[in-house]
Amino acid sequence: MVTDINDITRASLLYDFYGALLTEKQRSVMALYHEENLSLSEIADEYGISRQAVHDTLKKAEQALADYESKLRLVDKLARTEDALTKLRNELSLIEKGQTISSSAREHINRMKDIMNSLED
C-alpha cells in the first residue's frame, strides 16, 4: 500500500483521474482508507469483512489504477505539461529581463502567458 508522500500524491492523482472506473466497493474502500483515514480493521468492521479482504480490495484497486495509467498515461501527461509550462514561464521571464523588447514582442509574450494560464484553469 501507499506509504511515501510521493506515493500518496501519485495515488491521489490516479484516483482523481481513474477512480470512476473502479467498482463501487473499491471506490468506497479507497475513500474510507485514503480520505477518512480509517484503518483496515475499521473498514473491515464497517463492511463486516476480514481485514485481509479490505487489504486485498485496496491492492486490487491500486493495481487497477496503475494499469489504467500504464495504458492512458494521463497523470504522466499532466506532469509533463506542468513541467513544460514552468520552463516556458522561465524562458519568457529571461526574455523580458534580458533586453529591451518592442511593444509588439511584449504583446506576444503576454498572449503566450495568457495561453499558458488558460491551461492551468
Side-chain angles (χ1 to χ4, degrees), residues 15-31:
Y15 185 78
D16 288 347
F17 276 95
Y18 307 115
L21 301 173
L22 298 175
T23 67
E24 178 60 38
K25 185 175 183 180
Q26 288 173 329
R27 280 194 309 273
S28 179
V29 167
M30 285 198 75

Side-chain angles (χ1 to χ4, degrees), residues 91-99 101 106 109-110 113:
E91 292 298 321
L92 288 173
S93 178
L94 290 173
I95 291 169
E96 288 179 308
K97 291 178 184 174
Q99 56 187 318
I101 56 176
R106 182 163 305 287
I109 289 171
N110 288 333
K113 286 179 179 180

Side-chain angles (χ1 to χ4, degrees), residues 15-82:
Y15 185 78
D16 288 347
F17 276 95
Y18 307 115
L21 301 173
L22 298 175
T23 67
E24 178 60 38
K25 185 175 183 180
Q26 288 173 329
R27 280 194 309 273
S28 179
V29 167
M30 285 198 75
L32 291 172
Y33 186 75
H34 291 287
E35 295 170 17
E36 302 296 326
N37 295 318
L38 295 183
S39 69
L40 298 180
S41 297
E42 290 169 322
I43 298 169
D45 289 344
E46 180 88 17
Y47 281 99
I49 59 176
S50 70
R51 187 182 174 284
Q52 183 63 46
V54 173
H55 179 269
D56 292 346
T57 299
L58 281 170
K59 282 303 212 187
K60 285 180 185 176
E62 289 172 355
Q63 185 58 53
L65 295 175
D67 290 345
Y68 293 132
E69 175 61 11
S70 72
K71 291 176 178 79
L72 300 172
R73 312 298 300 164
L74 297 176
V75 173
D76 183 51
K77 184 175 182 178
L78 174 66
R80 287 192 325 266
T81 300
E82 288 177 345

